[in-house]
Amino acid sequence: MWSDTPFGWHSLLSVALNLHLLDPREVIAGAETAYHTGAAPLAAVEGFVRQVLGWREFIRGVYFLEMPGLTEANHFGHQRPLPRWYWTGNTNMACLADAIDQTMKLGYAHHIQRLMVTGLFSLLAGLDPKQVAAWYLAVYVDAVEWAELPNVAGMALYADGGRFTSKPYIASGAYIHRMSNYCTGCRYAPDRASAAKTLRPLCPFTVLYWAFLDRHETALAANPRTGLMAKSVARLAPEAREKIRADADELLSRIESL
Ligand SMILES: Cc1cc2nc3c(=O)[nH]c(=O)nc-3n(C[C@H](O)[C@H](O)[C@H](O)COP(=O)(O)OP(=O)(O)OC[C@H]3O[C@@H](n4cnc5c(N)ncnc54)[C@H](O)[C@@H]3O)c2cc1C
Ligand code: SF4
């Protein structure tokens, strides 16, 4: 993820595919031809075909298997309303400001922005899955419910309790820092060391990530893919865990001005 790089190296094909202006087989055949003529390397073609033939078709299958229950799915019982800045991008969190601003201007954000910026914040902040799903359906030009809802309720929010994902996609601000240049220009610092060094407040993603680990330690410990995360919070002293909870509550009490 990089500021002022809304499309990156993505194909921008989802709208044409979802509107049936392009057949997925045509797209895959085009990619195969690019490989055979030497115009694209195998790794790129394999990854792209996997998105179209693998993920897109799989998501369509999930929709038909899981509906109509998916619209009501709320595994964690999250109820918090969507902050108003989801509609404006007017927030001090640089990653969210960038992803939402480009979404409002272009109707587009690429997969990692959808999953690991707006989706991740929605999960960590305990936003109501129905409101989050309605937002995704409203703002993206490629949004059709069969493609949108499994990605939002299943992948981003784990609202279905993991019917097709093996763990919730959770991460702290350090992940976004590794995967982007957003944190450099942000009012917040992604981790405790850089917060102490630069005197910036600690990143809300990081505060809420630790509170999520604290809340769900037992379930995370029982899953081999998240066991290590559970251990990192289990090691903390009771006072440290109390502070994590208090910091998260304080932060969420002023969610509209973050
Ligand atoms: C929270 C969330 C909401 C999403 N909502 C939608 C949506 O409403 N409509 C939609 O078409 N996609 C959705 N996606 C999937 C994916 O993010 C978009 O298909 C992709 O960003 C579209 O941009 P692109 O065409 O440049 O894709 P590229 O990154 O170039 O990928 C190529 C193609 O692969 C297909 N694809 C890749 N991943 C997925 C996936 N997980 N689900 C379905 N198709 C996939 C798409 O058809 C896409 O055009 C969502 C993902 C998340 C995490
Ligand atoms: S410090 Fe946190 S809020 Fe700011 S850009 Fe990085 S991840 Fe986003």
Side-chain angles (χ1 to χ4, degrees), residues 33-70:
T33 304
Y35 169 65
H36 289 302
T37 58
L42 181 61
V45 173
E46 188 276 331
F48 177 76
V49 170
R50 185 152 38 87
Q51 300 305 305
V52 179
L53 182 59
W55 273 107
R56 186 171 182 273
E57 297 298 324
F58 173 70
I59 287 287
R60 189 168 171 82
V62 168
Y63 182 74
F64 284 102
L65 269 181
E66 300 297 323
M67 284 302 275
L70 207 50

Side-chain angles (χ1 to χ4, degrees), residues 9-15 17-18 48 51-52 55-56 59 108-111 114-115 119 136 140 142-144 146-148 151-152 155-156:
W9 285 263
H10 293 271
S11 67
L12 310 185
L13 285 174
S14 52
V15 179
L17 283 167
N18 294 354
F48 177 76
Q51 300 305 305
V52 179
W55 273 107
R56 186 171 182 273
I59 287 287
Y108 181 85
H110 62 69
H111 190 72
R114 297 188 205 196
L115 184 64
Y136 277 96
Y140 289 110
D142 60 18
V144 286
W146 71 259
E148 175 266 345
N151 274 299
V152 174
M155 259 189 121

